[in-house]
Amino acid sequence: MAYTTADFELSIGMNTQDQLYKAKKDWVLRFKLDQSLIGKNVKFFTNYPVRDGRKFQRSKYYELSITKSKPNLKELDRFDNYYVLGPIQHSGAFHFALTTD
C-alpha cells in the first residue's frame, strides 16, 4: 500500500500553540528540521497517540525519536534528519511542539 506523505518544516521560534493539524488515516507525516536547528538538541512532542491501542487525550504528549536519513551521521548533523508520525491510524486534528537545549 502506498501512503500519502505530508512534510512539515520545523524551525527555531515557530509557534504552533494555537494551530491544529489535520491528518487522514494512513497518512505519514514527516517533520523536517530547517537550517536554524542544525547543531541543536531538538526534542519533538505530539499529542497524537504514537503507540497502537492508546486513546487520544488532547493534553497527553508523546516524544518522538528522530529518524536519521543516513545512519552514519553524527547526532547533531541533522539537516537531512526528520521525525516521522504514521501511518496515521486515527484521522483527526493533533498538535505538536518542539524544544531545543
Side-chain angles (χ1 to χ4, degrees):
M1 168 186 255
Y3 296 109
T4 299
T5 301
D7 289 323
F8 298 91
E9 190 169 275
L10 304 174
S11 62
I12 282 185
M14 76 182 301
N15 184 354
T16 64
Q17 185 173 359
D18 296 327
Q19 295 178 330
L20 289 176
Y21 296 87
K22 293 181 182 178
K24 293 185 180 180
K25 188 172 174 32
D26 294 327
W27 277 19
V28 173
L29 308 177
R30 290 190 306 190
F31 300 87
K32 298 180 176 184
L33 307 176
D34 81 351
Q35 65 273 9
S36 68
L37 294 169
I38 295 174
K40 306 282 187 200
N41 184 22
V42 179
K43 293 185 179 185
F44 182 83
F45 302 89
T46 180
N47 64 352
Y48 182 84
V50 295
R51 292 183 185 86
D52 290 337
R54 292 196 177 173
K55 292 185 178 181
F56 178 77
Q57 296 176 337
R58 186 155 310 278
S59 61
K60 174 88 172 160
Y61 283 78
Y62 305 92
E63 183 176 358
L64 295 181
S65 298
I66 198 156
T67 301
K68 293 182 180 180
S69 60
K70 299 172 188 157
N72 59 346
L73 289 178
K74 293 179 184 175
E75 187 64 28
L76 296 180
D77 290 340
R78 297 180 167 202
F79 190 67
D80 292 333
N81 297 346
Y82 55 90
Y83 296 93
V84 66
L85 182 60
I88 299 294
Q89 298 301 308
H90 308 284
S91 60
F94 70 97
H95 182 255
F96 66 86
L98 65 103
T99 63
T100 60
D101 291 344

